[in-house]
Amino acid sequence: MYSDLLTRIEGEGRVIVEVLNKHVRVKLYFTEPKRYFEEILKNIDVKVGIDIVSRICGFCGISHVYAYVKAFEKHVEIPHEIEDFRKIILYGERIKSHLLHTCFLYLPDILGYNSINELVNQKPELFKQCLKSINAIHYFLAIVSGRIHNIINMRIGGVYYYPEEKEVSRIMSRIKHVDKCIDIIISLISEYAILFKEKHSYKTLYIDIIDNPFYSNRIYCDNKLLSSDFENNIRAVMKKGSNEKRYIVCNKIVITGPLARYNAYYMRLNSETRQWLREHGINTYLYNLYSSIIARLAEIKDSLIGIRGFFEKYKKPQIKTINVKNPDGKYYAFIEAPRGVLYHRYIVENNRIRDALIITPTQLNAEAMEKLTEKILSINIEKYSFNDLRRKAEMLIRSFDPCLSCSVHVVNGGI
Amino acid sequence: MRIGLFKLASCSGCIVSFVDALSREPELINKIRIVSPFFDDKYMCEYYDMVFIEGSVSRQEDIKLLKEVRNRSKYLIVLGSCGLYGGIQKISSNKNKPVSHIVKTDYVITGCPVDGDRVYVILKKLLIGGLDIKIYESVCSECKRSNNTCILVLERKPCLGPLTRAGCKAICPAYGRGCIGCNGLRPDLRPEHVRKYIENLRRKGIDLGVYELFIKTLTK
């Protein structure tokens, strides 16, 4: 492996930090091996693709599955019983993904530790609490979706089963571990508030979540609405030595993910979540990239409230699925995956996929990971030694929660 | 006890299952130290008690890493289908090889993803100094133990369960879905057995055509 490997991220990547003429240069290389999912999807039956896209990513595979089914459900209205239950699965994935990042990958940075092992040594009880909350959310996902990823319980038109009422009560008792964990973490990071003071300016990319917190056919780039013309407003960029195809939207450097969602929809957070944030000194929008951890914690809290609200009045629905036909044509969906906007687009002929395009949050964030990091560190160049600059660069990149397996599925439009 | 945890070409799902296994008994963390790029900048060490590998081998760097960790580790354990037979990415590129084509492996935990319970059991056995006995069954055996109705026989739904290695708790048939073979081909079967199975089902009016791509992963 490489000496400049960027550790504590999903997948394999390198980061090179240089100082040239009092300016910091950051180069990010996605060395994660290519897996060509867009090619694998070509010519397969529409019914089968769901089990392929779920294997793009072990962290956010449920969002890929949901993007796939929502794209192919464009001609039908899904009964609210089905859709409400599927949202619960998505809440589960959001909590799982955010916990993995918050507890393991990013928390050592905030606390000034070099590794998860240092976190284990210095704060063993906290680490165990993190594991308990991971266990609780994995248990939840196993009940509602069959397993923690590569889930069984979703299909075009609906789901395969609903959990029994007695299983739901077991979920509710276990899930308290997650509440306890995020309470501890938000109290702990408030001791490091100075880190979140500096104001960073950035533009955002997010979907319209008014009807559904996870799905829309409308997307906003720097507050401008794009929808069916999304592909006309993106530019693919490839870099020598890096396996990803990154995308620039509307020729702007934008960020997508929890921070973008938090700021766009702060007033749509549950009032209980906003109260919880206020109790920990967070009263308003977040302008600082390091504070993506706060946005994640807020989304975990909000998701827990969503899950509780759903299960408190849970009665096993009768309808599991509706019939969906997919005539020839174009199908697409925008999803808010844990790391941000996820776009799936398919061209279908005779029930087979003729062409697939999958754009993931990390591909959309890649440019911002380099350029915003350069900008923020160049302003502070006098304050830091080179080692500190490198450390801060790694931390800023990690704050995006990059998911490299999601980003290397196709190169140059083919193999 | 030092445990290496590495990934090659894969989705990181089996690493998440490894974390899931640890979450079964958080006290385990007092007995082990995980050496992995996922955990630490210092991801190579002189000696590992065991190394878990997720993913298929597609690059020279992977071969180098595998040889390095094999030399330094008492046990080398493959986590999941990508390392076992090349995974779904084998369809798009023949470059994706199983780990066993490069180095000797001591054990394979099958699954896509591997089951956290299974990883936990293996981990506990390794901690007391031994490896599990290798028993390779088909998904059908798991269906029988779980009292699942056979969807192939009774509902005439296409299912690759009889061809596929066990290890997933037969989760797809349990919810009325046909097995797609993601755990890989049973070690006692060859591609000609797969073709014969497809032909036999076709004669009985069950078409496996929809699983064409997954059958390719079993036979390619």
Side-chain angles (χ1 to χ4, degrees), chain B residues 9 15 20 63 67 89 98 102 115 121 150 152 204:
Chain B
I15 288 184
D20 184 51
I63 295 171
K67 288 184 175 168
Q89 57 269 24
I102 311 299
D115 178 50
V121 168
C150 181
L152 178 67
K204 293 182 193 311

Side-chain angles (χ1 to χ4, degrees), chain B residues 50-65:
Chain B
M50 60 193 96
V51 168
F52 290 87
I53 300 270
E54 170 194 313
S56 58
V57 187
S58 60
R59 310 169 300 174
Q60 284 304 315
E61 297 94 303
D62 301 339
I63 295 171
K64 199 175 153 208
L65 174 80

Side-chain angles (χ1 to χ4, degrees), chain A residues 154-188:
Chain A
M154 210 178 289
R155 60 170 143 179
I156 298 172
V159 295
Y160 286 89
Y161 72 92
Y162 295 105
E164 301 296 333
E165 278 92 349
K166 63 176 186 218
E167 290 173 313
V168 166
S169 63
R170 282 203 289 269
I171 289 175
M172 302 313 276
S173 66
R174 282 217 197 179
I175 220 160
K176 287 173 191 153
H177 287 298
V178 184
D179 291 277
K180 191 174 168 192
C181 183
I182 60 169
D183 281 345
I184 295 171
I185 292 177
I186 199 152
S187 299
L188 186 63

Side-chain angles (χ1 to χ4, degrees), chain B residues 109-122:
Chain B
I109 307 179
T110 61
C112 182
V114 292
D115 178 50
D117 282 334
R118 192 84 194 105
V119 180
Y120 173 66
V121 168
I122 301 288

